[in-house]
Structures are given as C-alpha cells and as structure tokens.
C-alpha cells in the first residue's frame, strides 16, 4: 500500500488512486485518526494497526508513505467539539509526527516537529542552507519596526523539482541541477520544489517547499513514475 | 555578550540573568513585551545587528544565547490583536527572524529552536530515550477501547497522558475512566504501564549533572502539595546515559524525568528541552549558576580560539 496522508478536502489526493492504479494508493485523513481502530504498542510498532479510508490496516502493510499535510488543521475536525479542536489537532499532528518518523518503509518526506513533510525551517534557515550549497537567494531580510522598507519580490520564472537525487530540469540559474540536489540532501529531504525568480542580477532561489502538491500535474507525474514499483519492483530509496 | 530572550518575569531567565550579573558578563535582554520595538538587520552574510530600546549589538558579538520565548500572541499586550494587525505581523516577523538566527548562528544557544521539537511528540521522544539505553514504560497509542482493556488487563496499573507537548496532568486510569473508555475513539491517547518508584529530575548542562530526588504522594508531583526535594548523586551508568541522551537530542541543557524502582531499575519518561528549573534549584542551588557559567565560558572559548588563530598567523610569519 502507498499511504498518502492528506486532507479530506484534497481532491488531487483522493484522485491519486485513479491516476496510480498500480500503486494501491490509500488516503489517510484526519477523520481516520479520530476513528476506533488505531492500536500501536511503541516497542512493537510494525505489529500495530491504523485506520485508513475507514478500515483498520496493519502498519506492516504500508510499503511507502507520502504526507501532503503540513499539520492537522483544526477546521477539518468537524466531528470534534469546537472547544476541543485545538487540543485534538495538536494530538493528531504529534501522532503523525511519530508515525511517519517510525515507518521503516520509504517516506517522502520524513516529518519534523512542526511540519509533517520535511524540516520546519523558516526563510532564514533556508537562506543559510542555500548559502551552504552556493545558491543565490532572495535578499536577506531586514526588519524595520515601521515596515517602511517594502519587500521587493521578483517575478517567478519556473520551478525545479528534486526527487531522490534527480531534478525535473536544470533550472535557469547558472548553478544547475547539482546544487538543488545538494540542497535537498542538506535539508535531509527526498523531495524539494525550488522556485526560481529573476532580477537585475540574474536568477535566484525565491521559494522552497518540501510538501508535494499533487494538484500540480508535473508533481503528480513525477511521483507516479517514481512509485511504479509494481512494474519495476520497489524502485524507491531508503528514507 | 550573552543574549537573553523571553520575559523578565520568567524565573529561569531572571535567575540566569542574576548569575550572569554576578559574574559581570556583558548581556543583552530581548524582552518579548517590547517586541515591536526591536529590529534585526542582516548585512548579507548572516551577520548584522540586533537593536533594541536600550542596546545595539553586532550579531557576531553574541557568543551565547539563553532563549525562553513564550507564545507572544498569548501576552496581555496582544490580547484582542488580530494576526492581520501590523503590530502582530511585525512581532511575528521579528520573532521568526530571531528564532531563525538562533538556529543557524555558531554561538552557543540554549537551546536551538530546531532541537526543541522532540518533546512535541512523546512517543517520538520515547524512542530516542530507549536508544540512549534507558528503560521506558510499556506504551500504547490507541483509539481502540478494547486495546485499552487488554492493556489494563496485562499491566493492571495504567496511566494516561497527552501525546503532544500540550500540558496534561498524568493520571492513573481508574474505574470511572474505564467506564467511559469508548470515548478514546475520538482521539489517539497514550497509555503507559505504571512504574512504581521514586521520581528524580536530572538537569544536564553539557557534561554536568544536577540530580534531585522527589518524594510525593501524587502520580504527578508537579501538582502535589506534599512534594519533598533533595539533591542526590546518580550512579555513574545512569549519569552517563543522561548526558548521552541530551547529546543525542542535541540539547546543551535538558531536564530529564527518571524513576528508580524498588528493584533499582531506572526508567526514563521524558526530556524537557526548556526546563523550568528554579523549582528544583531552591534545593540544589547550583543550576542557574552552572547555566550562567556555561553561557559565559563560551566567550572565553571563543577568545582562546581567536588567540590561537592569531598565534598561528604569527608563527607563519
């Protein structure tokens, strides 16, 4: 089973089973986490059970996992009383952080405490990481109390996707694909989307995301080719 | 210079500030209540200046940081302030940048924001605790009422708590809770085998151990009126496991909850990456001093490193 952890409102995730018939995709939503059936003993994790699409499934039957959720949103807990939603959202996010960290099968991307797909880095951490990889980024933030310095945003000119050491294309910076792959390794992720923008000095990195967007046909196609293990065997890396 | 970040009324922060004052270590304090009045400017190489109402300091002059920021949106000054308000946005941006700098600077940071997340998920942290060589209670995460009943049948005495960092009182599962156990299907809950024994809180600062034995009549001593504390020396093997655990979590300062059973086994329940230690320091009297010394020592280490570098240059000439 390819487990996709996603919002119940994510149409692309729900359609994944149709576009990936060979992957036996099943979608776990926050609603599943609020159903009877989860039972995991911490030192026997892979003998445990979780609820996926309303059915109890063995943890050991999960062959790969993708999280499309950044965290569990309160608004999606429609069966939970309003006053309890902040607590329950926190509990479900913490559970998923543990669950996705612990799975032995390939996970794209491993979670961190505050982001269920990749490191929970802010702009400054990403800028620092780009510097380590010799990538030019947006100008460093200067904070003024009266906001008198407007943020200058250069228009985007394309997005490069990195997946397990390969990129969709070389991008428009002179750095090329190799530095984006280095950036992904530095961040400890298998999947990365890097938006490029252009200014008077040329191209630079303007936005980075580690959460795949299946609504983007390029991303959906990339992941579909990557997870075609029924045809080629588990052609996914460890992680 | 040492940077302190948080609230003036925060006991651990003010205790460390007082000790730094006694050591006459230069320090700057970012007071969250004055948040919108601070600026942080970067000059293009992750260096720059931090400017406040009473100071202006070059970022690379800061050799250590003790960070205990609270959620600013819960401060009185932000009551009723919406996230769309310019003041709220400025505060959020400033704190995001300062937090980001704390993550990437080569100054000693107690503790880096990226390392604070391990206890946002108790079972996640429990795995790391086990890997450090500690015993941990048998733990069940479940939304399945029957799984709870089977767990209780196996362990007889069971406690339950939240999975996330959301503060919850640790409670024993009694008949009243068991009667309503079907409610567990609404949200995964953590159940643990109850471990009989004596609580210990261990504060680790680098390689230093400050251990306190806790005697209390309640399951959660934090909420007990009859708690008694006393400093204690841990067996070497246990102390080593504590320092190894903090190193594995990349924490320069951690508060570790242990329990010693009547049979002499040591169980570990949790590591707090930002422990409020003053409650224990009233009895040990050493933690704030040790923290301040550790923060101050980083300045001396940097000076020696710079001198060695200069000496190396002289040798080359």
């Amino acid at each position: 089973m390819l487990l996709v952890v996603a919002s119940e409102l994510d149409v692309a995730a729900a359609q994944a089973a149709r576009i990936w018939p060979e992957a036996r995709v099943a979608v776990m939503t926050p609603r599943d986490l609020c159903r009877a059936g989860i039972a995991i003993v911490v030192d026997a994790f892979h003998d445990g059970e979780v609820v996926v699409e309303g059915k109890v499934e063995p943890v050991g039957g999960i062959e790969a996992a993708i999280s499309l959720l950044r965290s569990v949103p309160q608004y999606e807990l429609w069966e939970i009383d309003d006053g309890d939603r902040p607590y329950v959202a926190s509990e479900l996010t913490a559970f998923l952080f543990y669950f996705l960290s612990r799975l032995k099968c390939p996970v794209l991307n491993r979670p961190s405490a505050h982001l269920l797909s990749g490191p929970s880095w802010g702009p400054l951490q990403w800028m620092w990481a780009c510097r380590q990889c010799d990538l030019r980024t947006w100008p460093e933030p200067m904070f003024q109390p009266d906001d008198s310095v407007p943020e200058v945003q250069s228009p985007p000119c394309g997005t490069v996707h990195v997946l397990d050491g390969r990129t969709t294309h070389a991008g428009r910076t002179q750095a090329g694909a190799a530095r984006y792959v280095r950036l992904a390794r530095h961040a400890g992720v298998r999947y990365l989307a890097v938006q490029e923008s252009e200014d008077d000095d040329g191209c630079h990195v303007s936005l980075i995301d580690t959460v795949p967007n299946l609504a983007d046909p390029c991303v959906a196609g990339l992941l579909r080719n990557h997870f075609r293990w029924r045809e080629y065997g588990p052609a996914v890396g460890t992680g | 210079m040492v940077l302190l970040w948080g609230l003036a009324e925060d006991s651990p922060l003010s205790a460390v500030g007082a000790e730094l004052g006694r050591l006459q270590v230069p320090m700057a304090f970012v007071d969250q209540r004055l948040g919108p009045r601070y600026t942080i400017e970067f000059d293009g190489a992750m260096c720059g200046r931090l400017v406040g109402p009473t100071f202006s300091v070059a970022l690379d002059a800061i050799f250590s940081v003790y960070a205990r920021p609270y959620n600013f949106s819960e401060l009185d000054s932000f009551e009723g302030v919406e996230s769309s308000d310019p003041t709220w946005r400025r505060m959020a941006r400033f704190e995001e940048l300062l937090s980001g700098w704390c993550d990437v600077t080569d100054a000693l940071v107690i503790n880096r924001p990226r390392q604070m997340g391990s206890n946002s998920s108790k079972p996640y942290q429990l795995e790391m605790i086990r890997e450090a060589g500690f015993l941990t209670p048998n733990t069940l995460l479940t939304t399945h009422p029957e799984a709870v009943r089977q767990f209780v049948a196996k362990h007889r005495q069971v406690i339950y708590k939240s999975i996330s960092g959301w503060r919850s009182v640790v409670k024993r599962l009694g008949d009243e809770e068991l009667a309503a156990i079907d409610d567990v299907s609404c949200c995964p809950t953590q159940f643990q085998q109850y471990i009989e024994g004596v609580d210990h809180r261990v504060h680790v600062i680098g390689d230093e151990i400050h251990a306190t034995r806790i005697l209390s009549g309640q399951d959660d001593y934090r909420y007990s009126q009859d708690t008694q504390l006393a400093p204690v020396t841990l067996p070497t093997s246990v102390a080593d496991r504590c320092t190894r655990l903090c190193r594995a979590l990349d924490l320069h300062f951690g508060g570790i909850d242990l329990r010693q059973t009547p049979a002499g086994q040591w169980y570990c329940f949790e590591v707090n990456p930002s422990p409020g230690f003053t409650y224990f320091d009233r009895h040990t009297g050493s933690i704030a001093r040790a923290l301040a010394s550790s923060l101050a020592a980083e300045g001396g280490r940097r000076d020696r490193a710079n001198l060695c570098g200069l000496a190396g240059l002289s040798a080359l000439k």
Side-chain angles (χ1 to χ4, degrees):
Chain A
M1 177 202 298
L2 166 57
L3 182 72
V4 176
V5 179
S7 163
E8 208 169 316
L9 305 172
D10 190 333
V11 173
Q15 289 175 344
R18 183 174 59 78
I19 64 171
W20 293 349
E22 66 274 21
R24 223 167 41 96
V25 173
V27 181
M28 174 193 273
T29 66
R31 191 193 292 257
D32 285 323
L33 300 175
C34 299
R35 285 199 166 123
I38 297 173
I40 295 177
V41 173
V42 166
D43 57 7
F45 176 81
H46 288 90
D47 295 333
E49 292 176 328
V50 286
V51 177
V52 184
E53 294 182 353
K55 299 188 289 265
V56 176
E57 297 280 355
V59 172
I62 299 169
E63 296 160 287
I66 305 174
S67 175
L68 308 182
L69 278 182
R70 295 175 193 276
S71 64
V72 174
Q74 293 180 31
Y75 59 74
E76 199 157 324
L77 304 175
W78 22 75
E79 293 172 347
I80 303 293
D81 289 343
D82 280 0
D84 293 332
R85 285 185 193 179
Y87 171 74
V88 174
S90 173
E91 292 292 282
L92 300 191
T93 302
F95 174 80
L96 285 173
F97 172 32
Y98 165 68
F99 180 71
L100 294 168
S101 301
R102 196 73 177 88
L103 284 170
K104 270 192 215 146
C105 64
V107 176
L108 189 130
N109 293 310
R110 292 281 175 190
S112 57
H114 304 296
L115 183 67
L116 292 174
S117 179
S120 48
W121 287 354
L124 208 65
Q125 288 98 319
W126 278 114
M127 286 172 65
W128 179 80
C130 284
R131 281 183 182 278
Q132 309 305 303
C133 301
D134 299 316
L135 284 166
R136 192 171 153 257
T137 64
W138 55 94
E140 281 191 356
M142 192 168 78
F143 177 76
Q144 292 289 348
D146 59 1
D147 274 344
S148 61
V149 179
E151 277 193 35
V152 177
Q153 293 187 358
S154 311
C157 54
T159 300
V160 178
H161 301 274
V162 180
L163 181 56
D164 276 348
R166 293 193 288 265
T167 60
T168 44
H169 56 279
R172 293 186 53 166
T173 70
Q174 293 185 353
R179 291 184 189 176
Y180 291 142
V181 170
R182 214 169 115 197
L183 180 63
R185 278 203 201 105
H186 186 85
V189 296
R190 297 173 58 205
Y191 168 78
L192 194 66
V194 183
Q195 179 182 281
E196 299 172 314
S197 291
E198 198 136 21
D199 59 17
D200 294 339
D201 296 322
C203 249
H204 62 267
V205 173
S206 56
L207 194 70
I208 297 170
D209 201 356
T210 55
V211 182
N213 176 14
L214 283 190
D216 180 338
C218 176
V219 177
L222 183 70
L223 294 179
R224 184 190 173 182
N225 287 337
H226 187 72
F227 285 104
R228 271 160 53 185
W229 68 79
R230 286 284 174 98
E231 199 172 330
Y232 298 111
V236 294
T238 57
Chain B
M1 175 168 291
V2 176
L3 179 68
L4 305 177
W5 178 22
L7 295 175
E9 63 266 34
D10 178 69
S11 309
L13 204 66
S14 63
V16 169
E19 292 295 334
L20 286 169
R22 266 190 273 279
L23 293 170
Q24 296 184 313
V25 176
M27 55 181 153
F29 173 42
V30 172
D31 184 347
Q32 282 185 285
R33 292 197 188 280
L34 303 178
R37 295 170 61 188
Y38 292 95
T39 65
I40 185 165
E41 304 163 3
F42 295 93
D43 65 6
M46 293 296 168
C47 296
R49 295 200 78 81
L50 175 64
V51 182
T54 57
F55 66 80
S56 171
V57 59
L59 291 175
D60 57 9
I62 299 171
F63 51 77
S64 51
V65 182
Y66 184 36
R68 281 185 56 85
Y70 285 70
N71 182 346
F72 77 85
S73 64
E74 292 174 1
L75 297 178
D76 296 342
S77 46
F78 283 88
E79 194 174 340
V81 179
E82 297 288 333
S83 58
S84 54
D85 186 284
T87 303
W88 198 101
R89 288 204 324 264
R90 277 200 299 278
M91 183 70 170
R93 181 118 170 98
F94 171 75
E95 295 224 331
E96 181 186 57
L97 290 175
L98 185 55
S99 179
W101 178 81
C102 285
D103 258 347
V104 306
T105 178
D106 60 2
L108 168 67
V109 181
I110 298 177
N111 284 312
R112 291 188 193 275
R114 67 171 185 262
Q115 306 306 347
M116 301 284 283
S118 70
N119 78 334
S120 69
S121 172
K122 293 188 178 75
Y124 173 85
Q125 195 187 70
L126 215 60
E127 294 284 358
M128 302 193 75
I129 290 170
R130 288 171 64 217
E131 283 166 20
F134 276 110
L135 291 172
T136 55
N138 208 344
T139 302
L140 169 69
L141 308 174
T142 191
T143 56
H144 202 330
E146 188 51 36
V148 180
R149 293 187 192 102
Q150 289 175 10
F151 193 77
V152 171
K154 182 176 178 184
H155 296 293
R156 290 192 291 169
Q157 289 197 78
V158 168
I159 59 106
Y160 64 100
K161 54 172 88 168
S162 62
I163 293 177
S164 70
W166 197 286
R167 194 161 178 133
S168 67
V169 180
V170 177
K171 285 186 189 166
R172 237 182 274 211
L173 193 67
D175 292 335
E176 196 181 323
E177 288 88 0
L178 269 174
I181 204 61
D182 286 350
D183 290 346
V184 80
S185 60
C186 297
C187 179
T189 303
Q190 177 165 301
F191 297 88
Q192 284 188 317
Q193 146 196 37
Y194 175 75
I195 304 293
E196 188 81 47
V198 177
D199 283 316
H200 291 69
R201 165 58 80 96
V202 181
H203 290 96
V204 178
I205 304 165
D207 291 326
E208 276 185 46
I209 296 283
H210 303 260
T212 309
R213 189 182 64 223
I214 305 158
L215 295 173
S216 166
Q218 301 293 324
D219 289 331
D220 193 334
Y221 66 83
R222 297 173 299 176
Y223 303 98
S224 169
Q225 301 299 318
D226 66 350
T227 300
Q228 294 171 41
L229 309 178
V232 72
T233 302
L234 294 176
T236 307
S237 60
V238 179
D240 287 347
R241 258 176 267 160
C242 288
T243 50
R244 192 161 62 233
L245 177 54
C246 282
R247 221 172 282 131
L249 292 168
D250 208 8
L251 295 174
H252 185 83
F253 176 43
I256 301 176
D257 288 334
L258 302 181
R259 189 170 289 172
Q260 185 186 22
T261 68
Q265 292 175 313
W266 289 87
Y267 280 76
C268 180
F269 298 98
E270 189 177 342
V271 182
N272 188 330
S274 186
F277 61 84
T278 49
Y279 175 74
F280 301 93
D281 217 10
R282 280 178 223 142
H283 299 271
T284 62
S286 57
I287 302 169
R289 203 175 316 133
L291 262 178
S293 298
S294 193
L295 290 161
E298 187 63 15
R301 190 195 66 76
R302 278 196 175 190
D303 288 342
R304 284 192 298 278
N306 288 338
L307 280 172
C308 287
L310 288 170
L313 284 173
S314 308
L316 284 173
K317 287 176 191 166

